[in-house]
Structures are given as C-alpha cells and as structure tokens.
Amino acid sequence: MSTTSLPTPDRAAELRAALLTAGFTADGLLELLGAPAYAALARSETVPALRATRTRGTGPLASLVRLFLLQQPEPYAQAARALPVEAALADGWLRREQTADGGDTVHATVDIRPYGGPDGEDWFIVSDLGCAVGGAGGIGSREEGVVLGVGGASTTLAGITVRTPVASALDLGTGSGIQALHAARHATRVTATDVNPRALDITRLTLALSGAPEADLLLGSLFEPVGGATYDLIVSNPPFVISPGARLTYRDGGMGGDDLCRTLVQQAGAHLNPGGYAQFLGNWQHVEGEDWRDRLRSWVPRGCDAWIVQRDVQDVTQYAELWLRDAGDHRTGPAEYAQRYEDWLDEFEARKTKAVGFGWITLRRSDAAEPSIVIEEWPHSVEQPLGDAVLAHFARQDYLREHDDAALLDGRFVLVEEVVQEQVGAPGAEDPEHVVLRQHRGMRRATTVDTIGAGFAGVCDGSLSAGRILDAIAQLVQEDPVVLRDRTPEAIRMLVEQGFLEPVSDR
C-alpha cells in the first residue's frame, strides 16, 4: 500500500478559493487547453495539454494544470502567483525541491482534478498521483492501495442514481469520494465507508476542497462498518473485478468469482429503509449451463423490487486483457505477463465461466407480496442522467402490479414526449412491414408494434380509456371488439413497462 503522506484539509477552503480565482475549473481547462488537448487528456495523453500550457497561457491557470494534472515541477515563484504556496507546503499539498542548478521548485503530492457538478458546481476530486483518469500517465498502477480519481464507472453510477431529497445516504467503498460528494447535495447525512484507510482520507480532502459538508467516514468491508444502520439511499461502485486474487484494493474484491457483488446485493435489503433505493455497478459470471438472468435473480433480497441492466458482455480473454492492461501488466516482461494471463484463465476455467457481464443493479425496498424483478440486456446508448428514469420505472411497476387487465382497459394513458414512430418496409409498398416506436430520451428504447399497437399509442392523449380506444379501432378495422380487448392488454403492459406510455392518474 502507498505510504506517501497525504495533505491535511485544515486550510482547504483557502486553497479552493485560490483554485477558483485562477479559473482551475472544468470550463477553465477547456478554454485554456482547447478541445483537442482536453480530449487527449481524458485519454491519459498529456503531451498536448503540456504543450498548450506553454503556448496558450503562462499565468496561474497554466501553473496549476502543470502541477496538479500533469505532475510537472513548477518554479516556486510561478506557483506562488497561483496559490498560497507556503500554506500548501505546510499542509502537504505540495513539496519543495532544489534542482541541480540551484532552482527552487514545487511538486504536487496528489492529483486534483476539476469536476463540474450537475448544477454547475465547481468541485475538485483528489486522488493519488497518476491515478486521476485523465491525469498524468493514466492508471496502469500496480501499487495495491492507490486511490483512483473519477472514471467512466464513477460517472455512470452518479448519473443513474436517484436524486430525491433523503435523510440518510451511504456510499459503500467510497474511493476518492465522488459518490459521497454527489449525495451531499440531497442527503442530510452522508456516510462513506472503505476498506482502504487511505481512501477515507482522500474522500475527506475531496469533500473539503469541493466546499461540501463533512461525511461520516468509516473503515471496513461491505456493511460491517455500519452495523445494523439503515439508509434511504445506498450507492456503491465496488471493487467488482473478477480476478485471481485480491492484488489491487481499488478493483479486486478479494472474494471468489462474483461473490463480492452477490454479497453486496443480498445484504443491501436489510440496510434499506422502506421505499429506499440501493444502486450498484457490478460484474457477474456467465457460467456454462446457467442462465445469467437466473443467477442475478437469486441475488435479489427479500422485500425488494429490482431493475438489473446488463450493459456489456466480454468473453474471458477480452476481460482478462482489459484488467491486465489496467494494472500495467502488459508493460512487464513477456514471461511474467503470460503467467498472469494464465492465472486469469485458470480462474475462469475452474469456475466454468465463459464470459463476464457488466451493468447496473437497482433495488427498491417495497416489501411487496409479489416483488417486481426486471432483468434485461440493453447495450445501446442512453441519455444520462437517468435518475428520473429509474424513479419512473419503479412507478410504472407499481401501477402494473396494482392493475389487472380489466383495470388496465379502464385506465387512460398518454404517449411519452419525444417518442417517434418509424414505418419500415420495402420502397413503394402500400403498407409497412412493421412499425417501430422509438424513444429519444432516457433509455432510448425501440420496440416493434403492429399497426393496431401503433394506432393505439398514437391516439393516447389521456382523454379516453384504453378500452374505448380499442373499441374505436375495432370498428375501424372491422374486428370483434371483445377479441381485441382480450388480446391487447399484454401489449399495453409492455408499452407501459418500457416507458412508451404513462398512466394518467385519476387522483
């Protein structure tokens, strides 16, 4: 584990003020670096950004970028024009060094990355040197206890999280504190846990430097640190990588196969308040002779509804190569790399794992007699943030659970905004071969319907019940209305469940 000492947050507000004054923000970086260099930095390519700091600006902002994003030494005098350098040295944000030619330079001790909050907040994410995604050198770290910055998984989880005001929120496995930072906007009390004490210290720095309230920081694995406490919201981007061993704390769970994700999900129900949500990212095994959906269904705790979305699947060779590169093992000697690769394949073979899935798991504590469990595969693009779409999904599940077919036909519906209809068929054909309804918001789903389904959806404006609309369609197409009423509720349920139709409340 890294033994480098970390800064103290005592004067973080003073440092924050200096960073903001210099324009060290997400918008400020884009303006200074330009779009190409900014995009290259997100790919961990630092040369264009370093070049831009030398050619596009020589002021305080350029100094801060070189120090905290690119980990370049900066002359003391130039750093002093950008921030209170003596305070930063005293508190451990910088260290001082004399060069061979007698120069006086300072170096950053941590990565600091500007991060724009959902309502335009200027936040700063602290991480270990070289471990901020988009920072100097990317990740590629083989040091066990390093704490990473914000990556794609972090922003994905932040985007899908339900953001209703709550009394209590738990960020389990907080890392650099990004989920705790988001939760602080809408939760009265935030608790953050991690098995790595360094992560808790860095979370404290992230919150302080971002001007956010302090969180309760607890050391330990999974739910052990919180005892029997319950929460309105639980979020976790856990160390979900299925690997042969627990070499890297930031990503390897230390349990066999996907047991860490399974344990996390199964234990979450007991820590949710009624109506509370738990939202996780995870990996799961695709095992020979087993349906992956059945595997995940067995994880859902009693009393919880669930919506599980598989976003990607990789065969075991792709998966092993991804995480070998993540740890920098591809930079070792050929023999060592080959042995580590063999270790991964041995692990998967022993567990009869043919592929690994990645996705989102959302639980809601409903205590329903018949819980709603939806498990689906959706690898297509979505529109983030999706927190409102998650709320809407469970609201629709409640409606469908409470309405039988007769009640469904008595209900009124509206076609969701920005749903378009596409007719697919041969050029010049009189009638389309099929009709597609497509969403342009949220999950951006598409579904094929017949002409009756398309006609039904098209006239749903909330003024007529579903049954009356079907009666009118039956008369138009000269079909028995009783038969049409009998066979259509299933299609209506599908359109409601997938978010094409919204029920109109009579209350």
Side-chain angles (χ1 to χ4, degrees), residues 7-24 64 67-68 79 82-89 91-94 108-112 124 126 205 208-211:
T8 65
D10 298 344
R11 286 178 283 190
E14 185 178 347
L15 178 58
R16 171 178 170 79
L19 298 179
L20 293 176
T21 298
F24 190 61
L64 294 173
L67 272 172
F68 292 117
L83 73 166
V85 70
E86 286 300 324
L89 286 165
D91 290 352
W93 297 96
L94 301 175
T109 60
V110 289
D111 272 299
I112 299 177
F124 299 98
V126 180
L205 296 175
L209 199 57
S210 298

Side-chain angles (χ1 to χ4, degrees), residues 305 364 372-374 392-402 497-498:
D305 298 327
R364 182 187 61 164
S372 164
I373 301 177
V374 176
H393 167 88
F394 286 99
R396 293 192 300 268
Q397 296 303 313
D398 288 342
Y399 178 88
L400 293 173
R401 185 162 46 200
E402 296 164 0
E497 180 174 324
Q498 294 192 2

Side-chain angles (χ1 to χ4, degrees), residues 92-109:
W93 297 96
L94 301 175
R95 63 179 177 84
R96 197 167 187 170
E97 185 177 287
Q98 297 291 323
T99 61
D101 60 1
D104 193 5
T105 62
V106 293
H107 300 248
T109 60

Side-chain angles (χ1 to χ4, degrees), residues 93-147:
W93 297 96
L94 301 175
R95 63 179 177 84
R96 197 167 187 170
E97 185 177 287
Q98 297 291 323
T99 61
D101 60 1
D104 193 5
T105 62
V106 293
H107 300 248
T109 60
V110 289
D111 272 299
I112 299 177
R113 177 186 175 183
Y115 180 88
D119 290 329
E121 300 94 339
D122 289 314
W123 290 341
F124 299 98
I125 311 303
V126 180
S127 63
D128 273 312
L129 288 173
C131 293
V133 177
I139 303 174
S141 175
R142 308 177 74 202
E143 192 171 359
E144 177 188 347
V146 297
V147 178

Side-chain angles (χ1 to χ4, degrees), residues 456-472:
F456 175 85
V459 299
C460 280
D461 61 2
S463 62
L464 296 175
S465 70
R468 290 186 62 186
I469 292 174
L470 290 176
D471 290 344

